Amino acid sequence: MSQPSSTFLYGANVHANGIRQHYLRYGGADGARAERDALILIPGITSPAVTWGFVAERLGQRYDTYVLDVRGRGLSSADPGLDYSLDAQAADVLALAQALGLQRYALMGHSMGGRIAVRAARSQPAGLTRLVIVDPPVSGPGRRPYPAKLAWYVDSIRQATHGMDAEAMRAFCPTWTEEQRRLRAQWLHTCHEPAIVRSFEDFGRDDIHADLPRVRVPQLLMTAENGGVVGDEDVAEWQGLAPDTLHRRVPAAGHMIPWDNEAGFHEALGDFLEPRG
């Protein structure tokens, strides 16, 4: 059986919100994809765009898909004095959509990227149609902390900066495949440590729950069965603050959902991003 051809088109940079923003594009807007909204995918705290390529390949079969290198990661700007706050990251996403000339688009954010998507959506930007929020940290002022530890990120980044291979990455990602560990080992050094520290600390400082009542587009909250990031009580609170939220929990998956259960990730997404009549 022949394998489907790649949907990857190219990587590119734009100057938007005062910085260089790098993205990878999959699928384009030809054929049926032109009738659907574009999709901007925002990865998590230490996930450069390239590490989501296997997910974007499949999304690109249906949608004009742009995977962003969040500032301080991958090939986007990572200057020492750059603002790495959640507000700045959210403004980046909206500026990227404008720079790309997207008239209608959805946002999909994983973990930190989900928090960025919510913060971007609270301003009710023109053209935004839907949100897909994947296992977001629900920490914040007065809330339980995010279950991961900062040292896990910092130690792995410092080793990657020094130079590490897939086997060395096993200590940090023991359940991942060799291919997954190799790619993370290759790209993790591009995660600027001050950016990661600021984002992690902001998990406990920024209150995205206060943003939810101001979000005016339908949301899909996709959560992992394992990992303890989003519990049932968190889902209930989220849906109480944003009643248009659909929830789907992915079985046999931890926080990095598509790494653990790629088929379950796409099944949970289903037709949520399809045009409605």
Side-chain angles (χ1 to χ4, degrees):
M1 180 183 296
S2 61
Q3 296 295 318
S5 60
S6 173
T7 64
F8 175 69
L9 294 178
Y10 56 82
N13 297 282
V14 296
H15 187 80
N17 197 33
I19 66 167
R20 180 187 69 255
Q21 296 195 46
H22 176 259
Y23 64 90
L24 303 176
R25 189 180 185 188
Y26 293 79
D30 295 332
R33 289 187 295 265
E35 301 174 3
R36 302 181 175 117
D37 300 339
L39 174 63
I40 299 176
L41 197 163
I42 314 166
I45 188 170
T46 54
S47 295
V50 67
T51 63
W52 275 80
F54 73 105
V55 179
E57 282 279 8
R58 184 163 169 183
L59 292 172
Q61 295 173 10
R62 300 166 66 185
Y63 311 106
D64 184 13
T65 302
Y66 301 82
V67 189
L68 175 64
D69 270 332
V70 177
R71 61 170 60 199
R73 289 89 174 162
L75 301 180
S76 289
S77 291
D79 302 325
L82 204 58
D83 180 1
Y84 294 109
S85 67
L86 181 61
D87 286 342
Q89 293 167 337
D92 286 346
V93 173
L94 300 181
L96 175 70
Q98 185 174 25
L100 295 175
L102 303 181
Q103 299 301 308
R104 291 176 56 85
Y105 62 94
L107 296 179
M108 174 185 290
H110 171 250
S111 191
M112 178 194 75
R115 293 168 67 92
I116 294 172
V118 169
R119 181 57 54 89
R122 77 172 183 178
S123 64
Q124 303 171 25
L128 179 63
T129 58
R130 287 179 179 82
L131 296 180
V132 179
I133 311 300
V134 183
D135 222 42
V138 291
S139 49
R143 297 176 177 273
R144 74 175 190 278
Y146 182 54
K149 303 300 182 183
L150 179 59
W152 185 89
Y153 298 103
V154 172
D155 291 348
S156 60
I157 290 170
R158 290 179 180 177
Q159 287 193 39
T161 301
H162 180 74
M164 70 189 305
D165 58 14
E167 185 58 31
M169 185 58 73
R170 188 190 298 274
F172 298 94
C173 306
T175 65
W176 289 21
T177 67
E178 182 177 3
E179 181 180 8
Q180 291 168 345
R181 288 184 279 109
R182 184 184 302 119
L183 188 63
R184 184 168 177 83
Q186 179 187 357
W187 281 89
L188 187 58
H189 76 92
T190 69
C191 293
H192 186 48
E193 184 177 323
I196 275 59
V197 171
R198 172 66 190 270
S199 292
F200 186 90
E201 292 177 346
D202 281 351
F203 287 169
R205 290 191 291 235
D206 283 309
D207 183 11
I208 61 166
H209 292 80
D211 298 337
L212 291 174
R214 297 167 59 181
V215 176
R216 294 290 184 265
V217 297
Q219 296 183 58
L220 168 60
L221 177 63
M222 185 190 304
T223 62
E225 180 180 52
N226 305 317
V229 175
V230 185
D232 291 341
E233 68 283 2
D234 301 313
V235 173
E237 181 183 16
W238 192 291
Q239 291 179 316
L241 294 168
D244 285 335
T245 301
L246 172 67
H247 174 242
R248 290 173 180 159
R249 196 175 289 283
V250 181
H255 182 56
M256 302 297 286
I257 292 177
W259 278 254
D260 295 335
N261 186 353
E262 184 179 358
F265 172 87
H266 290 286
E267 182 178 355
L269 178 61
D271 65 353
F272 180 75
L273 295 176
E274 295 297 314
R276 300 297 192 265

